[in-house]
Amino acid sequence: MRRAYFECRFGQLHVRTAFPTSGGFDEHTTLLCLHQSPRSGRVFEKFLPVIARDRSVYAPDIPGHGESDAPPHKPSIAEYAAAIADFVDAMRFRQIDLLGHQSGALIAAELGILRAEQVRRVVLVSVPVFNAEEREAFNGKGSQALPAEDGAHLLREWQRQVQARGAGVTLEECTAALAERLQSGAAGAWGTGAAHHYAANERLPLLRQPTLIVRPKDEFWDAGQRARHLVRGARLIDLPEHGSSVFAAAPDLIARHAREFLNAS
């Protein structure tokens, strides 16, 4: 596991990397992992060493999250994807596979559309395909508790984190996730807003690569089924025993499913 900084259109991009232990020799296509908002590439810390046994893996902090510089304005999913494409160009990848989680799944899908010849296969985990009612509810309440002088917003954020953690996730991991939410601030909420305004019904059918959709039992359980109908020929795997923290709670399981799909001929 290593960390480094690269340039993108919004400034510096912080990236976690993991490589095979066989002297840097990759047996398979490089994998790029894109996290959800308002988290960072840290969500893949347990997953990266497992999936990197036979390929190089990169997990950037999306602009405005973690240690990456924030955009000067609220970006769209397409703009987030274009920033990640800057990193792909800087690395001079000939071909890559993509994995995205929640809002990161939409960025992965958009990048797959943007770089149709360069992206080989796509894994989408907990795809947030919203209907009109869900978009309206989001516009009414926003995505982040506003700061309160008495600190009540911290309790609300903590309760939301604990309720969504799923099986196998410790309170220490919940604490780290809360810290990331607070660190990203308003820029982290931009990613969630971009996901709610993404035209998934129009964009996802344009994704032509072989695609695996993974559904943990989280807030996007139903949305994942919608995504399956939008992405032509998508394969679906359900993980009803795990929640939104599946990469922390079951890294070996999700790596096994991802590897079987990515390595298929």
Side-chain angles (χ1 to χ4, degrees):
M1 292 275 292
R2 296 288 186 272
R3 296 189 294 172
Y5 284 90
F6 299 85
E7 295 297 322
C8 76
R9 66 193 59 204
F10 296 131
Q12 289 196 307
L13 197 72
H14 178 248
V15 183
R16 289 170 173 81
T17 67
F19 305 99
T21 57
S22 55
F25 174 73
D26 290 17
E27 297 179 29
H28 300 287
T29 304
T30 295
L31 177 65
L32 185 61
C33 298
L34 303 175
H35 65 84
Q36 75 274 41
S37 295
R39 299 293 304 276
S40 76
R42 183 182 177 277
V43 300
F44 299 119
E45 276 191 341
K46 292 183 178 180
F47 172 76
L48 293 184
V50 183
I51 197 67
R53 290 171 186 165
D54 55 4
R55 76 195 72 227
S56 295
V57 189
Y58 296 82
D61 293 347
I62 303 301
H65 300 70
E67 302 299 326
S68 290
D69 289 341
H73 60 272
K74 295 180 180 180
S76 64
I77 290 296
E79 289 176 302
Y80 282 122
I84 300 302
D86 293 339
F87 166 70
V88 171
D89 290 341
M91 295 299 294
R92 298 183 179 180
F93 292 130
R94 284 190 169 185
Q95 196 169 57
I96 56 172
D97 291 332
L98 299 177
L99 180 148
H101 185 211
Q102 296 185 7
S103 58
L106 299 183
I107 299 172
E110 189 64 25
L111 185 56
I113 297 167
L114 178 68
R115 297 294 179 91
E117 300 301 320
Q118 200 170 13
V119 174
R120 188 186 69 102
R121 286 180 175 245
V122 181
V123 179
L124 305 177
V125 183
S126 298
V127 192
V129 177
F130 299 104
N131 58 32
E133 182 180 350
E134 290 163 342
R135 286 196 179 94
E136 184 177 354
F138 172 80
N139 290 332
K141 69 178 182 180
S143 64
Q144 191 174 37
L146 295 176
E149 190 169 337
D150 63 358
H153 67 292
L154 300 177
L155 178 58
R156 289 194 294 270
E157 290 289 348
W158 171 253
Q159 291 173 336
R160 180 160 63 176
Q161 188 63 47
V162 171
Q163 290 170 1
R165 64 175 170 163
V169 178
T170 67
L171 291 179
E172 288 76 11
E173 289 169 324
C174 287
T175 302
L178 176 61
E180 285 193 317
R181 295 181 71 93
L182 298 176
Q183 180 184 5
S184 64
W190 291 352
T192 304
H196 275 83
H197 292 100
Y198 183 67
N201 289 329
E202 290 76 34
R203 299 300 293 170
L204 290 185
L206 302 179
L207 190 62
R208 301 302 186 190
Q209 294 89 343
T211 301
L212 172 65
I213 295 175
V214 181
R215 289 201 312 164
K217 194 64 181 276
D218 60 11
E219 60 184 309
F220 302 120
W221 175 259
D222 293 333
Q225 193 66 261
R226 299 172 201 158
R228 182 191 186 188
H229 295 303
L230 291 171
V231 181
R232 184 177 61 180
R235 177 184 171 191
L236 179 68
I237 291 180
D238 289 340
L239 301 178
E241 68 277 18
H242 295 288
S244 62
S245 298
V246 61
F247 286 96
D252 292 280
L253 174 65
I254 199 161
R256 176 169 60 83
H257 287 304
R259 180 178 286 111
E260 288 176 355
F261 171 73
L262 295 175
N263 293 0
S265 57

